[in-house]
Amino acid sequence: MPSMHPNRAKWEAIVWLLAFALIYGTAFLFDGHEAIDALFVSQEAYNLDEIFTALTIAGGLGLIYSVLRIKDMHREIQLRVTAEKHVDWIACHDPLTELPNRRLLEVALLKLLTLSQTQRSAIFSLDLDGFKKVNDLLGHEHGDQVLKVVAKRLCSMFPEDNVYRLGGDEFVVVVERKGNQDLSALGKRMVVAISKPIAINGATVEIGASIGFARIPEDSAFPAEAIQYSDCAMYAAKKIGRNIVKAFVPEMQEELIKKIQMEADLKLAMKLGKIRPYYQPLVDLKTQEIVGYEALARWEREPGKFVSPCEFIPLAENAGLIVELTDQLFRIACQDALSWPPHTVLSFNISPVQLSDRLLGLRLLKVLGEVGLPVHRLELEVTESALINDAETARDVLDGLVKSGIKIALDDFGTGYSSLSQLSNYQFNKIKIDRKFVATFEESDRQEKVVRAIIALGIGLGVKITAEGIEDASQLRRLQDLGCDIGQGYLLGKPCPIEETLAVSERQIA
Ligand code: C2E
Ligand code: CA
Ligand code: CA
């Protein structure tokens, strides 16, 4: 039911009071009371005096009743106004951190647009580094606490209304610039504040932040555009590593447009089946026999022009296309593998992100079953970084794969995270020495020692060792002398389409 506006009620009360004063004044002026009295006496038979008294009492009580109802109404309106304010607050704020959300940011950007002639400002886009790991390893409750701490730290540096949470681990800070403020230094101060250790339930968590910023009006006079630019700068910072602060430069946007175009091209290429595996032989260094092929994805974007998998595989990972791409490539590779001699193994690369997919094993087994390739002919190559990202799930996924009879090779060994504890934690069938060791081990004593140690480790663990990137005969001979089991490299065979592998499958090396 619509209730009366308090102001209208007030005015109506005043009008009624005035009417009362007017009628009463007139009655007073013309001796109305005496006239009524005389009327009552002359018409005693009708009991007019009793009726009048009843009406007077009813009028008085009615007045009290109205005052009480007006008070109730007032209270109800207050409650409604408070509730409306609360709903408005919820719609414009993030309930977890209590920071304003994207809606309020849009309002603030509109306000900035009108001020951009006179006021200089900057927009900072922040994305936390390592937040996903906290969420995965410690659970969402801990993740929430981390977000609250980050929000508090930012609010201690800037007025609360200028810090926004856009969802997930993304924040935006809008800063009014005074004088010749060093914005990179300001960004770095944010990184320092955010990356201080956070204590949660007895555990200490350390996260970082990638920050990009854009200036209004120098980079753009339009705040909505400036925020896209600061996002661009943030992505550029994230690409470099942790805790990086980047100012927007126009080339970044070109890169972003290129990336979006490339993503669309990748989708189309996948749809048209233009990404296909090539195969590089894996050669037994003792018998010189081809024991398997590594499938390496190839995308011929234009005739004769290939995009490197180092470029499109991460793109597929970020665009959420990697599962579909892997499925496509894997099915083709399994079918191709059927045409090789029956002892030949298919070595297939698995992206780090896929080791957090608990259905990976089932999906691979399904394809193997459908194509008819025996499980013992498959070997998956996983990199060390895959085991770091989400260690617990990766371990479960790998255990599942091993249990179903799939062999696992540890790829790019020696780059980055090698740790012996990892080797003993997982059941690997093979270790692949990264090609950077093979490229330099002849000239460098240190590298040769590393290669020797890895080969010795392989013998100790009962695991075969593959050396990647063998390009010349002296490297090959040296690795054979050191007792390396398997070799791969341009000298032994470049990655080639399936038809060529058939032609060389019985090849012997000199
Ligand atoms: P990777 O698994 O370490 O593959 C070996 C890379 O070394 C391949 O590069 C191969 O062409 C190259 N290579 C082989 N022999 C030599 C040599 O003698 N000298 C030199 N300089 N290079 C050699 P490619 O094909 O460009 O692949 C790069 C990376 O992309 C691969 O590194 C792998 O991590 C990834 N990748 C390729 N195909 C796939 C795929 O289907 N799925 C996934 N997840 N990753 C893939
Ligand atoms: Ca590989
Ligand atoms: Ca490798």
Side-chain angles (χ1 to χ4, degrees):
M1 188 182 70
S3 51
M4 198 186 286
H5 192 277
N7 267 349
R8 202 180 126 205
K10 198 167 78 188
W11 281 112
E12 279 190 8
I14 292 171
V15 169
W16 284 108
L17 266 175
L18 285 175
F20 168 79
L22 190 72
I23 294 167
Y24 190 78
T26 316
F28 190 81
L29 211 63
F30 297 101
D31 281 334
H33 191 72
E34 278 74 15
I36 290 171
D37 265 356
L39 183 72
F40 289 167
V41 172
S42 66
Q43 303 294 324
E44 179 57 40
Y46 295 106
N47 282 337
L48 286 182
D49 50 348
E50 276 79 9
I51 294 172
F52 186 77
T53 311
L55 284 176
T56 313
I57 294 171
L61 290 177
L63 185 71
I64 296 170
Y65 179 79
S66 310
V67 170
L68 289 176
R69 288 292 71 79
I70 288 172
K71 270 192 157 174
D72 277 353
M73 208 166 68
H74 196 68
R75 210 175 305 135
E76 197 186 300
I77 289 168
Q78 280 311 111
L79 281 175
R80 193 191 301 178
V81 169
T82 316
E84 275 170 7
K85 271 191 193 153
H86 192 59
V87 170
D88 280 352
W89 189 92
I90 289 176
C92 301
H93 288 80
D94 160 43
L96 177 72
T97 58
E98 299 188 0
L99 289 178
N101 64 12
R102 195 180 285 276
R103 267 175 87 166
L104 272 194
L105 176 63
E106 278 163 14
V107 175
L109 293 181
L110 278 178
K111 233 188 256 169
L112 271 186
L113 182 63
T114 54
L115 292 173
S116 63
Q117 308 286 344
T118 51
Q119 183 182 303
R120 295 184 315 138
S121 26
I123 297 183
F124 287 84
S125 294
L126 285 83
D127 189 277
L128 302 184
D129 299 327
F131 177 70
K132 193 183 168 295
K133 212 153 107 188
V134 174
N135 248 350
D136 288 347
L137 293 181
L138 301 175
H140 287 271
E141 272 173 38
H142 285 72
D144 284 355
Q145 288 189 45
V146 167
L147 291 171
K148 279 186 177 176
V149 172
V150 170
K152 243 194 210 146
R153 289 180 182 174
L154 288 172
C155 288
S156 68
M157 293 180 71
F158 305 96
E160 234 165 82
D161 293 352
N162 293 13
V163 182
Y164 301 82
R165 182 183 170 214
L166 303 192
D169 56 352
E170 277 178 61
F171 295 82
V172 160
V173 180
V174 178
V175 179
E176 190 187 331
R177 283 153 62 205
K178 291 187 188 96
N180 244 350
Q181 202 172 8
D182 182 346
L183 295 173
S184 290
L186 183 60
K188 278 179 197 141
R189 283 213 299 283
M190 288 189 226
V191 167
V192 170
I194 291 171
S195 55
K196 278 187 190 141
I198 300 172
I200 297 171
N201 289 358
T204 306
V205 176
E206 273 181 45
I207 48 154
S210 297
I211 300 184
F213 66 87
R215 298 157 306 158
I216 301 173
E218 292 89 333
D219 295 322
S220 172
F222 303 101
E225 196 172 58
I227 199 165
Q228 283 179 3
Y229 291 173
S230 65
D231 271 353
C232 268
M234 184 267 285
Y235 289 127
K238 193 129 207 132
K239 219 167 147 188
I240 299 173
R242 267 171 85 103
N243 293 340
I244 303 282
V245 179
K246 278 260 160 211
F248 170 78
V249 286
E251 294 79 59
M252 285 174 182
Q253 212 208 4
E254 283 159 28
E255 207 165 289
L256 192 75
I257 292 170
K258 241 200 270 163
K259 197 181 136 199
I260 292 168
Q261 183 58 50
M262 182 119 156
E263 216 175 279
D265 286 0
L266 176 65
K267 267 189 201 157
L268 187 66
M270 280 169 63
K271 210 168 147 194
L272 300 175
K274 285 208 164 169
I275 302 178
R276 301 194 60 88
Y278 270 38
Y279 303 97
Q280 186 175 31
L282 298 158
V283 177
D284 185 317
L285 295 185
K286 292 183 186 88
T287 63
Q288 302 177 349
E289 216 189 332
I290 291 175
V291 288
Y293 288 95
E294 177 177 4
L296 294 160
R298 291 291 177 266
W299 174 14
E300 198 171 358
R301 203 173 180 192
E302 287 164 41
K305 281 194 181 155
F306 288 88
V307 184
S308 162
C310 297
E311 211 174 323
F312 70 81
I313 295 286
L315 189 72
E317 285 172 354
N318 290 333
L321 297 169
I322 191 68
V323 171
E324 198 186 329
L325 179 60
T326 304
D327 282 0
Q328 272 187 15
L329 289 168
F330 185 61
R331 188 173 289 273
I332 302 172
C334 288
Q335 273 158 352
D336 286 346
L338 287 178
S339 58
W340 302 331
H343 65 275
T344 319
V345 165
L346 165 67
S347 212
F348 193 84
N349 291 286
I350 287 294
S351 272
V353 290
Q354 291 185 279
L355 281 196
S356 53
D357 172 6
R358 291 183 184 273
L359 294 177
L360 177 71
L362 277 180
R363 257 204 302 271
L364 296 176
L365 287 175
K366 185 166 172 268
V367 176
L368 284 177
E370 283 168 6
V371 173
L373 187 73
V375 73
H376 70 263
R377 289 191 56 191
L378 175 64
E379 176 179 86
L380 295 180
E381 298 197 4
V382 299
T383 56
E384 293 170 78
S385 56
L387 311 175
I388 302 284
N389 285 347
D390 181 355
E392 218 172 298
T393 317
R395 199 194 156 117
D396 290 350
V397 172
L398 277 184
D399 281 351
L401 294 171
V402 170
K403 272 196 198 111
S404 53
I406 297 172
K407 289 190 277 296
I408 308 291
L410 184 58
D411 204 357
D412 301 346
F413 188 72
T415 56
Y417 301 102
S418 328
S419 91
L420 288 176
S421 71
Q422 254 179 42
L423 287 181
S424 51
N425 272 341
Y426 300 95
Q427 293 169 271
F428 296 112
N429 303 85
K430 209 188 239 178
I431 295 173
K432 295 187 81 173
I433 307 176
D434 191 71
R435 67 169 183 267
K436 86 169 186 231
F437 291 103
V438 176
T440 52
F441 85 115
E442 283 184 301
E443 294 93 56
S444 156
D445 234 22
R446 254 179 103 88
Q447 301 288 59
E448 191 189 307
K449 277 188 187 137
V450 175
V451 173
R452 261 180 204 278
I454 299 174
I455 291 170
L457 187 75
I459 295 169
L461 291 170
V463 169
K464 291 226 158 161
I465 302 290
T466 303
E468 297 183 325
I470 304 173
E471 290 185 354
D472 57 56
S474 64
Q475 284 171 339
L476 174 66
R477 230 167 291 124
R478 192 94 193 88
L479 285 162
Q480 281 171 321
D481 290 347
L482 290 173
C484 185
D485 303 290
I486 296 161
Q488 180 183 14
Y490 293 165
L491 178 75
L492 307 173
K494 286 194 171 177
C496 57
I498 179 66
E499 307 76 41
E500 288 175 40
T501 66
L502 299 178
V504 294
S505 66
E506 282 308 317
R507 116 180 231 166
Q508 294 281 307
I509 53 163

